[in-house]
């Protein structure tokens, strides 16, 4: 069932979202300062490409002061806008019964988009 949902996700806009994350990741990696942020958008791209069957968990290192500082910078440098866009898409998709699973995946992406540093994506 998860494979079918992932294929539907790709056809209904998941590949578009993943390509957007990939392009933004490559643009962020042009500077040395942007490399950590580019790595986080690669994490978002991987989850946006194949979200069903994956879960976001906080790692042991997520409470470190460097991760907290990087998450605060991330929020101000664009994380809030990514999060809000996923929340809007999730709310719109949850209006229909068929769109509820896809809306829930957008909510999962929104939580990761708000604070990606120190988070791990694991296969369930």
């Amino acid at each position: 069932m998860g494979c079918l949902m992932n294929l539907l996700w790709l056809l209904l806009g998941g590949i578009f979202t993943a390509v957007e994350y990939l392009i933004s990741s490559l643009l962020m990696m042009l500077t040395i300062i942007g490399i950590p942020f580019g790595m986080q958008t690669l994490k978002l791209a991987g989850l946006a490409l194949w979200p069903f069957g994956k879960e976001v968990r906080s790692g042991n290192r997520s409470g470190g002061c460097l991760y907290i500082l990087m998450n605060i910078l991330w929020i101000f440098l664009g994380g809030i806008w990514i999060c809000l866009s996923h929340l809007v898409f999730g709310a719109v998709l949850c209006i229909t019964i068929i769109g509820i699973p896809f809306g829930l995946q957008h909510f999962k992406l929104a939580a990761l988009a708000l604070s990606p540093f120190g988070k791990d994506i694991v296969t369930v």
Side-chain angles (χ1 to χ4, degrees):
M1 186 68 169
C3 186
L4 175 66
M5 295 300 281
N6 279 321
L7 290 174
L8 284 173
W9 172 266
L10 287 176
L11 293 174
L12 298 174
I15 195 145
F16 181 70
T17 306
V19 168
E20 283 180 332
Y21 281 134
L22 184 64
I23 291 170
S24 65
S25 176
L26 293 174
L27 289 175
M28 283 186 210
M29 288 187 189
L30 290 176
T31 65
I32 293 174
I33 296 171
I35 290 175
F37 299 104
M39 295 300 291
Q40 298 309 310
T41 53
L42 275 179
K43 185 189 302 185
L44 287 165
L47 188 61
L49 194 59
W50 209 255
F52 289 93
K54 293 186 180 174
E55 188 175 298
V56 179
R57 294 186 183 158
S58 292
N60 294 336
R61 63 198 188 283
S62 65
C65 63
L66 183 61
Y67 288 110
I68 293 171
L69 176 67
M70 294 298 275
N71 277 326
I72 290 170
L73 283 173
W74 174 266
I75 288 171
F76 289 120
L77 294 176
I80 190 76
W81 301 112
I82 297 170
C83 178
L84 288 175
S85 67
H86 281 300
L87 288 175
V88 167
F89 285 130
V92 168
L93 285 169
C94 283
I95 291 173
T96 64
I97 294 174
I98 295 171
I100 289 174
F102 302 110
L104 294 176
Q105 296 307 315
H106 273 291
F107 293 144
K108 180 169 60 174
L109 282 164
L112 183 64
L114 195 58
S115 61
F117 288 94
K119 301 287 171 58
D120 296 323
I121 298 172
V122 294
T123 304
V124 179

